[in-house]
Amino acid sequence: MTIKKFLLKVTLISFILLAISYTALFISAGRAPDIHSLDQNPEFEVQSAYDLPDFWNLTEIQKIPLNITIEDTRYVWDETHQKNFTVQNLYYTSQYWINNTPLRIDAALVFPDNSSKQLGLVPAIVVMHGIGGNLLQLFNQLYFLAANNYTAIAISFPGHGNSSGPPPVQEWIIPNLAGYNGTITPDLLNQTHFYLITRAAVRAVDVLLNQSVVDPTRIAMTGGSYGGLTTMFASNVYWQKVRSAIPVIASGNLDISFSTPWSLTNLIVNPNEYDLTQPPVSDLIQYFDPIYYVNTTNNPATLFIAGTNDDFFPVETFNNTFYATNNATKAMSMTPAGHHGFLMDPMEGTVLYWLNHTLFNGPAPPIIDVVRDVESTIFGSKLKITANVTCDVPISKVFLATHWEIMGATWKKTEMTQSSGVWTLEKQHLPFNAEITYFVIVELENGEYITFFSSYVWRDEITTWLEIPFFILIGVGLAMPIYLLMRRDVRKMKSRIEATNQRRYLYLNGIQLAGMGTTEIFIFVSLFLPLVVALPESNSFGISLAVVLNEFIDLFPFFAYVVFTCLITGFILTMSKPVLGGLINLIVPIMLVMIGLSMLPMLGAYEDNTLVSGLSGPLVSVGIGLILWFVMCGVQIGFGIFKRKYQKRL
């Protein structure tokens, strides 16, 4: 075999491998679940919702005496708002449960400053925490609401904080259904944590109604995560009193959330043990899925506050829940790249605006009418968005938030152009076919607070005929450096190696190409294997680098560039200089380990979390993906050292 023919085969093989690998790399993010547009029906059975009024007996719930016990009353000066507040710590009974034991709920009431004696009756709001939390985490919100003349009550859910009752572990989310025959019994209800927290929230409203300063016609409810789910339950059950609901980072369609591989709901209910789509679990879950509650005619005015990258609830579940809400007074405030409680845009202004509208008949949120059009162009298609916005207050800006559904892409927010009372923006196609997720954000002029509302979320595919030429160009562009490096190596060694040993050298290069190509394939595969495994002794919830690049890249936007640069550079150099290529490939796993170690102290912040403290065994362990990546880099470096020694012998 001549050197020329050998190099030709090397180039051909490299081109094929690179073209296939990097085509897959760009499109391997996987198509996200379908997002329903407003002219489509979400995938749920509406008729199930009609059973809910019979499921909750409000009269029976209110027969239980509250037995309010005030532990202490104190006066607090809040530096942030420069106001005095009255704070009461108290307990009340939400129900009697197992063995007729009273379920005592720990609560805190914060009253606004009424030193002027001019407030009169004030509106009131129930504020609820997330799973594993407690009311102590909510005082900043309570003070903010009190500073705006609301009486606010925060509660610790059953099994949280100082409240009695069971913790929200799996056996209380999905109770023992061995004897379930299709009938919901009181005993079964008392073993279901969703039921216990909903009754606690309903009775919190009654505690507010017992306060002489509270206007009984202006009651609202809000909560984050687990508290957001409870908001949708309890506000619907007590619709006669709760006029406004604000679920934050919480949605319905729990079957989608629990079945989504990367959703952190898998840490609460192990999908390997329960199939939420099949009876008897599905029979029970339909009574505790918020999408059925918001679909009833009892549902109060509802504002959904969410993030596109929520770690528990996929974005399509917010869409479906918003669509299902059976009340014309509803709105959504979606943060692009927002996660489950972090990287969220400020929501104080939006909350106050909504409460003023729903409790005091203030200005309504903007009505956002979005016209979507995928138009054909010479090289493919483009997306044209037109937003017609009707609003009672001046509009500050209108944005289009967009996200290409490709690995490593981040959310972008672009200001739309106004002309003749409408806002427009066009998005051109990429060099390859890709789906784009997008929605419109309307920012209002509302004094010191940022106030914004958003449209429904859509997803469309933008195509181009440039895709095949683009990937061919990428393949050729990546194959050429390999060709040039190997040609240089062969020419250099030809002048140094005796003719009798040149064939051995060519065999060595062939082994290098096949072996290093195989290690690169394994490194590519490790992208989709778990880097870490959460709760390794129970739920074994794995998180891969592909999931990080798809769902969490907005936390570390620079990391996508590092990963792709290292993958490309490492691939090219490994074919010629395995030691250098292996060292470059090591950069990514080493960075992952460093990021992981830097985040370990954050786990300490959750030591008082009821859910976390109740777990046994390690919270995380190293996944096979990280191990495989390190091993393949070691093989590359080891082969490079062997090659150098072997060449010296030649």
Side-chain angles (χ1 to χ4, degrees):
M1 179 188 298
T2 65
I3 293 178
K4 186 175 181 180
K5 289 182 178 180
F6 173 77
L7 291 175
L8 181 61
K9 290 185 177 182
V10 167
T11 303
L12 180 61
I13 294 172
S14 300
F15 165 73
I16 294 173
L17 287 175
L18 287 165
I20 294 175
S21 298
Y22 286 96
T23 299
L25 182 63
F26 276 99
I27 64 175
S28 62
R31 296 188 181 275
D34 291 337
I35 288 185
H36 299 286
S37 62
L38 286 172
D39 57 354
Q40 293 175 305
N41 291 321
E43 296 174 347
F44 66 95
E45 298 177 1
V46 179
Q47 62 267 23
S48 298
Y50 297 126
D51 298 332
L52 293 178
D54 298 329
F55 176 67
W56 293 96
N57 189 330
L58 189 59
T59 302
E60 185 67 27
I61 291 173
Q62 292 181 313
K63 282 183 180 179
I64 306 299
L66 284 170
N67 293 330
I68 298 174
T69 303
I70 298 176
E71 293 288 300
D72 65 75
T73 301
R74 65 186 189 277
Y75 302 97
V76 176
W77 170 255
D78 182 58
E79 289 289 343
T80 302
H81 302 98
Q82 295 291 296
K83 288 187 176 183
N84 282 304
F85 302 128
T86 303
V87 179
Q88 281 186 352
N89 292 312
L90 57 91
Y91 288 88
Y92 65 90
T93 300
S94 62
Q95 67 179 93
Y96 288 88
W97 64 309
I98 296 176
N99 297 325
N100 206 32
T101 304
L103 197 58
R104 297 289 284 172
I105 302 301
D106 183 20
L109 266 170
V110 178
F111 298 93
D113 183 358
N114 192 21
S115 55
S116 65
K117 306 297 182 181
Q118 296 180 355
L119 280 183
L121 295 179
V122 297
I125 184 168
V126 179
V127 184
M128 293 169 286
H129 58 77
I131 193 167
N134 58 69
L135 64 82
L136 297 178
Q137 301 167 344
L138 302 174
F139 270 93
N140 286 339
Q141 298 176 44
L142 299 180
Y143 292 156
F144 168 76
L145 291 164
N148 287 277
N149 297 328
Y150 285 82
T151 293
I153 184 172
I155 65 173
S156 288
F157 285 138
H160 295 70
N162 293 323
S163 295
S164 59
V169 292
Q170 179 171 278
E171 55 265 32
W172 283 95
I173 301 295
I174 307 292
N176 185 355
L177 297 171
Y180 177 60
N181 59 3
T183 302
I184 300 294
T185 64
D187 287 341
L188 182 60
L189 290 177
N190 281 330
Q191 298 175 49
T192 307
H193 210 264
F194 283 143
Y195 181 78
L196 301 182
I197 61 176
T198 301
R199 286 194 61 152
V202 167
R203 298 319 308 272
V205 174
D206 289 330
V207 173
L208 288 175
L209 294 174
N210 271 271
Q211 310 306 313
S212 60
V213 299
V214 168
D215 184 343
T217 66
R218 293 189 171 102
I219 304 293
M221 185 174 285
T222 187
S225 189
Y226 207 46
L229 296 177
T230 312
T231 296
M232 288 182 275
F233 298 144
S235 64
N236 186 281
V237 172
Y238 212 175
W239 60 272
Q240 299 97 326
K241 293 298 182 182
V242 180
R243 286 181 54 185
S244 184
I246 310 175
V248 181
I249 53 175
S251 70
N253 262 167
L254 295 184
D255 55 329
I256 293 179
S257 297
F258 281 115
S259 61
T260 299
W262 51 261
S263 171
L264 296 186
T265 53
N266 290 282
L267 299 180
I268 302 171
V269 175
N270 189 345
N272 298 320
E273 294 185 26
Y274 295 101
D275 185 353
L276 273 67
T277 64
Q278 298 297 323
V281 179
S282 61
D283 293 340
L284 178 65
I285 287 297
Q286 72 173 347
Y287 287 99
F288 294 108
D289 191 329
I291 202 165
Y292 298 117
Y293 286 75
V294 299
N295 188 249
T296 67
T297 55
N298 296 339
N299 200 66
T302 305
L303 166 65
F304 296 92
I305 296 178
T308 58
N309 291 35
D310 193 280
D311 311 293
F312 284 78
F313 305 99
V315 67
E316 64 270 19
T317 65
F318 292 108
N319 255 14
N320 294 349
T321 308
F322 178 75
Y323 181 92
T325 301
N326 193 6
N327 190 318
T329 305
K330 60 181 178 179
M332 184 182 291
S333 182
M334 181 75 71
T335 296
H339 283 258
H340 198 73
F342 55 98
L343 294 187
M344 294 287 290
D345 289 334
M347 61 183 183
E348 291 86 352
T350 306
V351 168
L352 289 180
Y353 188 98
W354 176 258
L355 291 174
N356 183 52
H357 168 60
T358 53
L359 300 183
F360 295 94
N361 298 318
I367 299 174
I368 309 171
D369 181 21
V370 178
V371 179
R372 310 142 52 215
D373 189 16
V374 179
E375 300 178 350
S376 298
T377 66
I378 297 176
F379 298 106
S381 57
K382 67 177 180 180
L383 177 66
K384 182 178 180 180
I385 300 298
T386 302
N388 297 282
V389 183
T390 304
C391 191
D392 297 337
V393 300
I395 296 172
S396 174
K397 296 177 182 178
V398 177
F399 298 94
L400 183 68
T402 57
H403 178 263
W404 291 102
E405 297 299 324
I406 57 176
M407 187 180 293
T410 58
W411 277 90
K412 306 294 183 185
K413 195 166 79 169
T414 308
E415 187 172 354
M416 302 181 73
T417 303
Q418 183 182 13
S419 177
S420 302
V422 299
W423 285 262
T424 59
L425 188 69
E426 294 183 356
K427 296 294 292 186
Q428 299 293 334
H429 58 77
L430 298 177
F432 47 87
N433 299 338
E435 290 184 329
I436 184 172
T437 304
Y438 57 94
F439 60 96
V440 173
I441 300 172
V442 177
E443 190 174 298
L444 306 179
E445 295 181 4
N446 189 29
E448 61 178 308
Y449 295 112
I450 296 175
T451 302
F452 70 96
F453 295 89
S454 61
S455 72
Y456 207 67
V457 182
W458 285 275
R459 181 175 292 136
D460 284 303
E461 184 175 20
I462 310 299
T463 60
T464 175
W465 61 263
L466 296 174
E467 182 174 58
I468 294 178
F470 172 76
F471 283 116
I472 291 176
L473 182 63
I474 290 291
V476 172
L478 293 174
M480 283 304 296
I482 296 177
Y483 167 78
L484 295 174
L485 286 171
M486 295 197 71
R487 186 180 69 171
R488 186 202 63 176
D489 291 345
V490 170
R491 286 181 174 178
K492 184 185 296 185
M493 295 308 297
K494 182 181 178 182
S495 62
R496 297 179 181 178
I497 298 176
E498 297 180 1
T500 55
N501 290 330
Q502 288 184 9
R503 184 175 294 275
R504 291 183 180 179
Y505 177 74
L506 291 179
Y507 286 152
L508 178 64
N509 275 269
I511 293 172
Q512 174 179 302
L513 179 63
M516 296 303 96
T518 301
T519 59
E520 287 294 325
I521 290 174
F522 276 111
I523 287 176
F524 178 76
V525 170
S526 67
L527 284 171
F528 305 93
L529 298 176
L531 294 173
V532 295
V533 178
L535 304 185
E537 295 184 3
S538 54
N539 294 24
S540 296
F541 173 60
I543 300 177
S544 68
L545 182 56
V547 169
V548 172
L549 292 174
N550 286 333
E551 305 298 335
F552 306 105
I553 192 59
D554 292 278
L555 292 172
F556 314 100
F558 69 92
F559 191 58
Y561 298 102
V562 174
V563 170
F564 293 133
T565 300
C566 290
L567 284 173
I568 294 171
T569 307
F571 190 102
I572 293 172
L573 291 178
T574 300
M575 299 304 164
S576 174
K577 301 182 180 299
V579 173
L580 182 57
L583 290 173
I584 291 176
N585 281 331
L586 270 176
I587 293 175
V588 173
I590 289 175
M591 285 189 65
L592 289 170
V593 171
M594 293 176 63
I595 291 173
L597 291 175
S598 67
M599 296 179 68
L600 282 179
M602 295 175 58
L603 295 177
Y606 294 92
E607 289 181 352
D608 62 343
N609 185 287
T610 303
L611 186 64
V612 173
S613 61
L615 298 173
S616 59
L619 294 180
V620 294
S621 66
V622 177
I624 185 63
L626 192 60
I627 295 173
L628 181 62
W629 199 312
F630 271 112
V631 169
M632 290 301 103
C633 291
V635 170
Q636 292 173 346
I637 295 171
F639 181 84
I641 295 173
F642 164 78
K643 178 186 175 183
R644 289 182 179 180
K645 292 183 177 180
Y646 188 79
Q647 285 180 170
K648 290 180 180 180
R649 293 171 56 188
L650 296 178

